[in-house]
Amino acid sequence: MTHIVIIGAGECGARAAFALREKGFDGEVTLIGAEPHLPYERPPLSKDGLAEASLPKFVADAARYEEARITVLIGATARSVGRAQKTVTLSDERSLDYDRLLLATGARPRALPGVPENAERIRMLRTHADALAIRAALTPGARLAVIGGGFIGLELAATARRLGAEVVLVEGLPRVLSRGVPEEIAAFVAERHRREGVEIICGAQIAAIEEAGDVARLLLADDVGIEADLIVVGIGAVPNTELAEAAGLAIENGIAVDERLCTSDPDIYAAGDCCSFPLPHYGGRRVRLEAWRNAQDQGVLAAANLIGAGETMASVPWFWSDQYEYTLQIAGLADGAQATVRRDMGEGAFILFHLDSQGRLMAASGIGPGNAVARDIRLAEMLIAAGAKPEPLALASPETRLKKLLAA
């Protein structure tokens, strides 16, 4: 094997490139990215990176790529994959031969129907350029409307309040954080936002959205009108599967891969936000995760398997979000849980442990100031991976150390 090509220069693709070298691969490594920047981390874009309008938080500087002999093609778009010839054709007609290929094409923001093309005051947040455009509008006293009450929308609302902007957040479902976050924690987060002055409207249906001169307008189905200096749409993400589809690879809520991240072509792998995969700790249930650590973990796993390691996924899903002084962390998937046990940890921190019908720990969801829940969520993650069935009373008691339960 002499050449591995990685399409997608985000967190996942960059981690995979470096992991190839760390695991001893000595052939050519080429990393292809459409943006004009070296790979950078996206989570700061809705947090400190947005507030400070700083440069992206790069995964590595140019010297490290050069030292690792990784060729990075920035501002380059992969147009097609020729599986029979094992080639990648770029939009400028350059062609690259590959022995193995990794698709780390990520995801893009889900578009809201009815948004005018090239609207300056109606935006989505995905790239560093998006963050700079949004930051320019978040001046003290400016009015921001956020459509979508998920992690991104709420983080953006918190950052906007920190910068002195007024915020109204519109969510179509009955509550914020409907996807994967327990109602009790979602209510806690919503109340914290309201205390900060964020107006939250749930169960809202959008009738019209428009840009008119120096304002953007939302009209809700109940005839409520909202005017703002800027509207940011954050209603989820769509996996970038177009290259894979055109190449004839299997698609199932993303590029379908097996437990080794291999696609339906044995020489092509996929990892990160763009792929769906079976979770061993949840009976092989197929999921697609849009999460920073998943991108890292899968980048490293894909690198190992591109060079023949044959390793399978063993990690437990993990998510996090900063909401003002609080950090929310979730390990595992709570869907289908039959029982929930609460552990109060003082200073407003608590963890919810989610158990299945057999008493097996499926997930743990926690929130607290700073890193108050971080250690116990990490231990809960290890309990989930071990298939543990801890006693509910032990989980509920803050005096019982989870490390002791793990040892048992």
Side-chain angles (χ1 to χ4, degrees):
M1 192 187 312
T2 60
H3 193 192
I4 293 177
V5 174
I6 302 169
I7 301 176
E11 181 86 35
C12 183
R15 298 293 179 189
F18 283 109
L20 284 168
R21 294 304 188 213
E22 291 161 8
K23 294 177 184 300
F25 179 67
D26 198 43
E28 285 186 82
V29 177
T30 301
L31 181 60
I32 302 169
E35 290 190 59
H37 303 286
L38 289 172
Y40 59 88
E41 296 184 357
R42 296 192 189 277
L45 296 182
S46 56
K47 308 181 185 76
D48 290 345
L50 177 64
E52 298 163 10
S54 56
L55 286 171
K57 183 179 179 182
F58 294 109
V59 174
D61 60 21
R64 278 193 61 200
Y65 290 98
E66 185 175 354
E67 181 183 349
R69 294 181 295 113
I70 297 169
T71 301
V72 185
L73 304 179
I74 59 174
T77 303
R79 190 181 69 191
S80 65
V81 173
R83 290 169 55 191
Q85 303 82 14
K86 288 193 172 183
T87 58
V88 173
T89 302
L90 305 183
S91 54
D92 61 5
E93 302 304 327
R94 279 182 292 174
S95 182
L96 303 175
D97 294 330
Y98 69 83
D99 293 286
R100 289 275 173 87
L101 175 66
L102 173 62
L103 300 175
T105 48
R108 62 187 181 276
R110 188 181 300 278
L112 181 69
V115 174
E117 283 191 29
N118 303 316
E120 290 294 318
R121 295 183 178 274
I122 305 172
R123 297 274 184 171
M124 294 186 286
L125 176 59
R126 177 64 181 177
T127 67
H128 179 251
D130 295 333
L132 290 180
I134 291 169
R135 175 63 181 86
L138 298 182
T139 54
R143 185 161 171 82
L144 170 70
V146 178
I147 301 175
F151 286 144
I152 295 296
L154 288 164
E155 288 172 357
L156 179 59
T159 301
R161 290 298 296 133
R162 172 180 164 189
L163 295 169
E166 300 297 318
V167 181
V168 56
L169 184 143
V170 177
E171 167 59 50
L173 295 173
R175 66 170 174 91
V176 300
L177 296 174
S178 293
R179 183 182 171 191
V181 178
E183 186 171 355
E184 193 171 347
I185 290 181
F188 183 98
V189 171
E191 178 56 29
R192 180 65 187 87
H193 275 272
R194 290 190 175 101
R195 291 204 314 271
E196 199 67 27
V198 176
E199 180 184 0
I200 298 176
I201 304 172
C202 290
Q205 301 303 312
I206 296 171
I209 183 171
E210 65 176 3
E211 184 178 55
D214 58 356
V215 297
R217 295 194 182 97
L218 269 179
L219 178 64
L220 304 184
D222 57 4
D223 291 331
V224 171
I226 298 170
E227 283 198 353
D229 298 289
L230 180 72
I231 297 173
V232 178
V233 180
I235 55 173
V238 178
N240 293 322
T241 61
E242 289 79 6
L243 269 179
E245 288 184 68
L249 298 177
I251 306 295
E252 186 179 345
N253 183 30
I255 304 169
V257 298
D258 63 15
E259 66 278 1
R260 297 178 297 110
L261 300 179
C262 187
T263 70
S264 51
D265 183 317
D267 291 319
I268 302 179
Y269 288 68
D273 294 6
C274 68
C275 75
S276 67
F277 56 93
L279 272 175
H281 301 298
Y282 299 87
R285 169 185 168 190
R286 181 169 289 276
V287 300
R288 187 176 64 82
L289 299 179
E290 298 157 14
W292 171 78
R293 198 172 79 183
N294 181 66
Q296 288 192 327
D297 290 348
Q298 290 196 345
V300 174
L301 178 63
N305 290 336
L306 282 163
I307 55 177
E311 297 177 7
T312 59
M313 282 179 288
S315 58
V316 172
W318 179 83
F319 312 86
W320 68 283
S321 178
D322 289 332
Q323 304 288 332
Y324 304 102
E325 73 275 27
Y326 292 96
T327 297
L328 185 163
Q329 292 194 26
I330 298 175
L333 301 176
D335 304 16
Q338 298 298 304
T340 298
V341 177
R342 174 170 171 145
R343 171 183 288 222
D344 289 302
M345 305 173 67
E347 299 183 357
F350 65 94
I351 295 177
L352 303 176
F353 297 98
H354 312 281
L355 309 172
D356 69 11
S357 59
Q358 305 300 313
R360 182 177 66 92
L361 184 62
M362 298 176 61
S365 313
I367 192 166
N371 290 320
V373 302
R375 183 184 64 180
D376 280 358
I377 290 291
R378 174 57 182 151
L379 289 167
E381 182 183 342
M382 296 167 72
L383 286 166
I384 295 166
K389 297 180 180 180
E391 286 294 330
L393 288 177
L395 291 175
S397 172
E399 284 74 38
T400 301
R401 298 178 62 192
L402 295 187
K403 193 171 183 179
K404 180 179 178 181
L405 299 181
L406 184 63

